[in-house]
Structure formats: C-alpha cells, structure tokens
Amino acid sequence: YSWFQAQMPRVLAERFGPAITRFAPGLRGRGLTDSLDEVVAGMKPGGVFVQHYGLWYDRRRVDHNYYGSNEQRTGDVWAPFMELPWARSGTGKAWDGLSLYDLTRFNPWYFERVKTFADLADREGRVLYYAFYFQHWLLESRSHYVDFPWRPVNTIQDTGLPDEVPAANAFYDLSHPVRRDLHQRYIRKVLDTLGPHANVVFGLDREYTGSLEFVRFWLDEIAAWQRAHGKRVVVALEIPKDQMDAVLADPERAPLVTAIGFHGWLYRADGRLFAIKGGLDRAPRQQRPDIATQAELDALRQAIDDPARLAQADFLNGPEFQRLFDTLWKGSPFMHYRARREYRDSYPELVLLEPGDEFPDVTRAVEALVPRDVRSSTRPADLVRHPRETSWAMADPGRAYVVYAMAGGTVDLDLTNDVASYELQFVDAAAPVLVPAAAIPGGRVVTLTPPPALSTRPWVAWLRRSP
C-alpha cells in the first residue's frame, strides 16, 4: 500500500514499505526518498518489487479531499511527492496549483529511479515487476482523479477525457487520436528504459477493467518494440478472465505472454464462476459484491447495520461476522487454487504469478498423487454439507470426487444423486502417500473420516468409482 500511504507522516509511512519513486526534497531514508540500495538489500533472494506510479502527486489528497474551490487550489504542496512518469510544462495552472503537464515529455527523475533500481536489483538477483498503468486514479472517488495528469484541466494536450469519474473507459479508448499517440509514446518510453533489463517483468495494470481492444494494443506495441530491438521482454497478463482467455487463444499475441495472474475471479463452492468484467467503468472492488448471493449480502448488511449486534463485545472480530465476510469476499480457501489449476493444466508452459497456494503442501501432494485427468475433469460442486465454511468439493459425477478439508476433521458429502460406490483414499501431504480407507456407498449423505494422523490438519480425499 505504499502507493496510497507513502505520503503519511514518516512513522506511519514506514509501515507500508518502500516507494522507489517517492521524493522528499533534501530528505533521505525510509518514508522519505528511499535509498534504492537499501530497498534492494532488504529484499529476499529472488524477491519481486512491484512498481506502478502512485495514486496522487502530493500529500493533500491522502484524506481524499479534492479541494473544490479555486482559492484552495494553490501550489502550496506538501512533500513527500509521488513522482509521476509525465513532466510538467512550466506553463498554466493545473488543479493542484502547479503547472500543467506536457504528456509528450517525461519526468527524468522518475525514469532514472526505476532504471537505477532495475540495475541494482539485477546485480542482486531481484526482480522488478513494472505495471504500466494504475487505473485506480480513474474510478470511484473524485479525489483519485482531480490531479490525474491526463484530466483536461491538468494538461496542455487535448486528451478528450471527461472532467469527472468514471474515466477509465475513455482513458483506454483508442479512437481518440491524441490519446492513442500519448499511450504509444508512454509505452515506448517505458520499454526503452527498462526493456534491456532481463530482470524486469512488464504488466499492464493490476486493477485493469478496460477493454480487450486496449490489451491487444498494448501487446502489439510490445511486439513492435521487440521487433525493432531484436529483444524479447517478459510480459505478465493480469486482466479479466474473458479477456485473458481471448488473448491466450490468439495465435499472434499468446506467444508474447510469459506469465499470468488471476485478476478478480474465482469459483464459488456451488460451482458458479464470479469474474469481473472489462468495459464497465467500474473498479474490481465495485464489482466484487456480485460474488455473493442476495441472501448472503442481506445477512452481511443486517449484521453490520444492527446496532445491538455491533455493540456486542468483539462482534466484528467474532466467528459469525467473519463467516459472513469470508463468504462475501474470500469464499473457500481453495477457490483461487481451482482457478490457478485451470490454467496450470491448460497452459503448462506459462508461469503462474501466484504459485503460493494457501496450503502448498496439500496442493503439491494432490498434483503428485491424484491423476491429472481426474483433476482436469472435476468441477466445483456444492456437495459439502458440513463443515461448509472450511471444506470444498469437486466432482465428475459417476466417476470421481476430490474433497478438500482445510480445517481437518470429518466432512459430510452429499452423494444422494449418485448411486455408484466409490473407493476412498486420503492424501497424506506429509509423506506424500495415498492412504486407503473403507469403500463409500452412494445414494446418501456420507461422512468422510480421515485417519487419526490427518484429523487435525488439512487433508484431501479422492473418491474413485469402484470397478
């Protein structure tokens, strides 16, 4: 969160980590102008530093105040500053009281900092993940957008953007010739600066909800740069699911992609897919409530709005509220694993940006012991009856089931609609080995009871139809 909290008083800013393009004139150290050597030295071997420009330039916006009157729009800015890629023109007056931006010129300090950091990180075996854009400026709050360099009142160029949020769809709309040219200039500047570094990964925007057309444009610009320089760069794709599927199915653009991340989508325990959409002019978190059923939303809203319940000691930290919150925001711990596995099986050549599953030992054991065809054929199924909050089932009815119990203990699995009998085996991640158990008859709700050694830690059961 250094992109947001990097300008708080130093004692607070230090908690949120370094920001390599934060500038406090004449002041160096944590929470000020960070020492790049110290930032690199503080990273773990093979560690990754994620960089995108900050949420606003000066400290006045930290409280989300947009200073609406002309009298308040002075140049009395308060350091530290989150320097941006674009340079000031030295003429006119932007919303923050400083001069207007010239989007055809770039901030030399900003680009020298990211280049120097990439150099230092390369020597020490560290990685810089550079996200070209930061959509957070363009949506939700007016305070996010008032100082955005591309907003018409802040630049000498005619960008054609709206004066108010939401502005993401317009920002990514390439039909405006000035915007298209400005995007090309910026993309090429980034590639010219960081493209020669083998330790840099390039991403588009970790909150991206723009159009597929812009994703293709961005990839095409990278491809053109690679052809012109005879060099390949590492590209990571973190975009809405339907767009990622379209790119990976594109024979021309798919080869450009080295790594993928899972951006705003997962499977619910009942098998329904929740996925954010592009082109809605809504941020990912503005779309996330769609993950819950209306009943779940109503339950959470009632829990929060009931003064008597809120007055109860530790209600907000208690299990009831946590269960509702997890249902709405996180779901099953293995929902994200299911999403990752879908792409791991379909595109084994791609690097997954989020390999650290919540239960890595269990994940590795399942992949080693449960055949790939079984893992590929099963789909999320709402079959766990107890405990629903910590358990998760995937099914290929009539053939196989895989059940995850993240809190250990027993699991009640509903096989009422499947009359076949199944051989039951438990995955012991510690060994890892398969532990046979008693056969399971179908046509009823069955209780899966793990061996004593697995009863108090996460386990997985594999049910295979009996011959």
Side-chain angles (χ1 to χ4, degrees):
Y1 288 100
S2 62
W3 52 267
F4 170 46
Q5 300 286 13
Q7 294 155 298
M8 297 293 283
R10 184 177 181 184
V11 66
L12 297 176
E14 288 183 1
R15 295 188 204 168
F16 296 96
I20 64 174
T21 50
R22 173 176 49 205
F23 177 47
L27 299 173
R28 297 180 64 83
R30 294 183 62 188
L32 301 168
T33 305
D34 288 280
S35 165
L36 299 183
D37 292 284
E38 291 179 3
V39 175
V40 172
M43 296 173 63
K44 297 178 180 178
V48 179
F49 188 94
V50 178
Q51 165 66 18
H52 53 67
Y53 48 82
L55 182 54
W56 34 59
Y57 178 68
D58 78 83
R59 191 163 164 179
R60 290 175 295 177
R61 299 293 178 258
V62 173
D63 66 353
H64 283 68
N65 189 324
Y66 55 81
Y67 289 83
S69 69
N70 287 332
E71 291 75 17
Q72 292 171 308
R73 289 166 50 197
T74 71
D76 296 332
V77 292
W78 191 3
F81 308 114
M82 295 299 288
E83 292 294 329
L84 299 170
W86 300 278
R88 302 274 182 169
S89 68
T91 63
K93 180 181 177 182
W95 189 268
D96 60 10
L98 302 178
S99 72
L100 297 168
Y101 286 91
D102 179 351
L103 301 175
T104 66
R105 297 173 53 227
F106 297 102
N107 182 342
W109 190 88
Y110 177 95
F111 281 98
E112 181 60 29
R113 289 282 287 185
V114 295
K115 181 182 185 304
T116 301
F117 181 84
D119 289 336
L120 295 171
D122 196 12
R123 295 174 201 167
E124 300 299 325
R126 311 299 191 257
V127 175
L128 171 63
Y129 182 112
Y130 186 91
F132 279 74
Y133 296 99
F134 189 33
Q135 181 182 272
H136 207 92
W137 284 82
L138 305 169
L139 296 170
E140 300 180 287
S141 170
R142 193 184 192 210
S143 63
H144 295 168
Y145 185 57
V146 290
D147 296 329
F148 185 59
W150 293 48
R151 185 178 174 227
V153 298
N154 295 325
T155 176
I156 63 175
Q157 277 79 31
D158 175 18
T159 63
L161 291 183
D163 192 51
E164 301 289 348
V165 290
N169 279 358
F171 179 71
Y172 296 120
D173 180 4
L174 299 167
S175 64
H176 191 285
V178 173
R179 285 200 300 271
R180 186 183 186 91
D181 175 67
L182 294 174
H183 281 300
Q184 285 179 322
R185 289 172 182 264
Y186 171 59
I187 293 170
R188 292 170 185 172
K189 175 63 175 178
V190 171
L191 291 170
D192 287 343
T193 303
L194 296 175
H197 293 78
N199 66 319
V200 176
V201 176
F202 294 99
L204 177 56
D205 182 335
R206 306 197 86 189
E207 296 186 3
Y208 186 76
T209 56
S211 66
L212 175 59
E213 177 189 15
F214 190 85
V215 176
R216 289 169 172 159
F217 165 80
W218 174 67
L219 290 171
D220 291 347
E221 288 297 313
I222 292 175
W225 186 91
Q226 291 184 152
R227 289 192 298 270
H229 293 79
K231 179 175 177 57
R232 178 179 171 86
V233 298
V234 179
V235 175
L237 208 57
E238 292 181 278
I239 56 177
K241 185 181 189 303
D242 58 344
Q243 298 181 6
M244 186 157 69
D245 289 342
V247 170
L248 295 180
D250 184 334
E252 294 185 6
R253 297 181 177 92
L256 296 169
V257 180
T258 300
I260 58 173
F262 303 96
H263 173 62
W265 65 276
L266 48 78
Y267 286 98
R268 293 177 50 88
D270 60 10
R272 287 184 293 130
L273 172 69
F274 164 77
I276 61 171
K277 299 295 184 182
L280 299 181
D281 249 358
R282 294 173 65 194
R285 65 182 179 182
Q286 289 177 298
Q287 300 183 41
R288 283 191 70 91
D290 296 339
I291 191 174
T293 64
Q294 190 59 50
E296 291 165 344
L297 283 171
D298 290 343
L300 183 61
R301 188 174 297 111
Q302 290 171 9
I304 294 174
D305 292 344
D306 185 343
R309 299 176 79 186
L310 286 176
Q312 298 173 8
D314 293 328
F315 171 73
L316 293 177
N317 296 320
E320 180 182 5
F321 178 81
Q322 192 62 49
R323 179 183 63 78
L324 292 168
F325 185 84
D326 286 352
T327 297
L328 175 59
W329 291 104
K330 295 192 300 184
S332 163
F334 258 81
M335 285 182 176
H336 291 283
Y337 166 65
R338 170 67 183 88
R340 287 193 288 271
R341 201 200 69 188
E342 178 176 322
Y343 285 86
R344 183 182 295 125
D345 289 349
S346 300
Y347 302 97
E349 74 281 3
L350 292 176
V351 175
L352 304 188
L353 293 181
E354 304 173 44
D357 294 296
E358 293 85 350
F359 302 94
D361 293 341
V362 174
T363 300
R364 286 192 291 268
V366 170
E367 292 178 347
L369 300 172
V370 178
R372 179 173 176 175
D373 65 321
V374 174
R375 291 185 280 117
S376 300
S377 66
T378 56
R379 293 292 180 268
D382 188 19
L383 298 175
V384 171
R385 296 294 166 256
H386 179 79
R388 294 174 63 87
E389 294 82 8
T390 58
S391 301
W392 164 258
M394 305 225 288
D396 181 1
R399 181 167 177 257
Y401 297 86
V402 181
V403 180
Y404 304 91
M406 298 301 97
T410 60
V411 169
D412 293 337
L413 183 69
D414 190 349
L415 297 181
T416 304
N417 296 321
D418 187 345
V419 298
S421 295
Y422 288 86
E423 296 178 352
L424 172 62
Q425 294 177 297
F426 289 90
V427 175
D428 184 347
V433 294
L434 289 171
V435 180
I440 295 293
R444 68 188 74 178
V445 176
V446 299
T447 298
L448 306 181
T449 303
L454 301 180
S455 61
T456 59
R457 53 187 170 91
W459 55 260
V460 173
W462 171 25
L463 284 73
R464 177 175 54 181
R465 182 167 180 160
S466 299

